[in-house]
Amino acid sequence: MEVVVLRLSHRAARDKRITTHVALVARAFGADKIVITGDPDSRIIEGINEVTSRWGGDFRSEYHATYRSVLKEYKDKGFEVIHLTMYGIPIQDVAGKLRASKRDKLIIVGGEKVPGEVFEIADYNIAVTNQPHSEVSSLAILLDRLFNGEELGRTFPNAEIKVIPQERGKKFMPPMSFSYQKKR
Ligand SMILES: C[S@@+](CC[C@H](N)C(=O)[O-])C[C@H]1O[C@@H](n2cnc3c(N)ncnc32)[C@H](O)[C@@H]1O
């Protein structure tokens, strides 16, 4: 199953950090790709690609000026379209159905106001609680429910560096000097 995240309406002046976090969560929690729409912002794509080349895996990122052509492309390819919104159906009521369907998934997260047609085009409008919070948290929880926690143990092939987990302190493979770690 391929999982692609569509980030709507990126604003270069305001959303650099949160869009980067959406992309980092998408990669770390098992999605295959992010498509960013809204303002062009090459810093975001470069930043994500740099993380992938250092930390491994084959996560991909793309920019498209408008979301409509992206939605049409993935709908035509047979992807199930899941829109994350606080107005949707509680995730706990649909997670089992999502896991049972082996169709590829396009997961949409909004930024500023989400156009009404997105609610209509989506196969599912899903809420992670019906309280307002963030695209970062809702994406993490959706991916975790979709993969049933298995993404937590995922490995990222061809990593230049990886963390060796330990109870205290920081350990990397290959070992790095403290000054090198601080630059990252
Ligand atoms: C900060 S919210 C802005 C929402 C915006 N005011 C609107 O009209 O939709 C940005 C995005 O976070 C996600 N989000 C926020 N709260 C959510 C929730 N409770 N459940 C699912 N997604 C949520 C949605 O994808 C939303 O588009």
Side-chain angles (χ1 to χ4, degrees):
M1 176 175 67
E2 186 174 6
V3 176
V4 175
V5 173
L6 171 58
R7 200 288 189 259
L8 299 180
S9 323
H10 170 72
R11 296 162 296 179
R14 294 183 49 179
D15 293 335
K16 178 172 186 290
R17 194 171 160 81
I18 197 148
T19 300
T20 299
H21 285 194
V22 168
L24 291 174
V25 162
R27 175 184 169 277
F29 286 69
D32 299 288
K33 177 174 170 179
I34 186 165
V35 179
I36 297 168
T37 64
D39 295 344
D41 193 344
S42 57
R43 298 167 305 170
I44 306 257
I45 305 276
E46 284 160 17
I48 302 158
N49 291 345
E50 193 189 329
V51 168
T52 298
S53 72
R54 293 193 156 277
W55 292 90
D58 54 5
F59 186 75
R60 290 159 288 137
S61 49
E62 267 176 24
Y63 168 74
H64 285 257
T66 61
Y67 68 86
R68 281 205 184 106
S69 58
V70 179
L71 268 177
K72 182 176 180 333
E73 176 191 337
Y74 284 94
K75 272 266 184 192
D76 289 351
K77 284 199 236 171
F79 279 57
E80 234 162 16
V81 177
I82 299 168
H83 170 220
L84 281 166
T85 167
M86 64 185 272
Y87 306 105
I89 302 299
I91 187 164
Q92 59 274 29
D93 296 350
V94 278
K97 198 170 164 191
L98 292 181
R99 279 196 295 272
S101 152
K102 298 302 168 207
R103 280 173 65 193
D104 297 326
K105 313 270 187 272
L106 180 73
I107 301 170
I108 305 176
V109 294
E112 51 178 352
K113 197 165 168 40
V114 174
E117 70 173 355
V118 172
F119 289 76
E120 299 305 318
I121 291 169
D123 297 301
Y124 297 94
N125 291 291
I126 295 182
V128 178
T129 78
N130 294 107
Q131 303 298 316
H133 49 92
S134 148
E135 46 274 54
V136 177
S137 48
S138 55
L139 178 61
I141 290 193
L142 176 73
L143 289 172
D144 187 62
R145 294 292 170 111
L146 183 62
F147 295 124
N148 218 8
E150 286 172 17
E151 81 290 352
L152 299 177
R154 198 187 146 162
T155 54
F156 291 80
N158 304 317
E160 251 178 53
I161 45 174
K162 67 176 185 175
V163 167
I164 309 298
Q166 49 178 13
E167 285 192 14
R168 286 188 186 74
K170 301 177 186 173
K171 192 169 181 183
F172 291 88
M173 191 61 112
M176 280 186 273
S177 71
F178 181 62
S179 58
Y180 181 76
Q181 287 178 31
K182 265 176 53 179
K183 273 196 273 165
R184 301 282 120 213

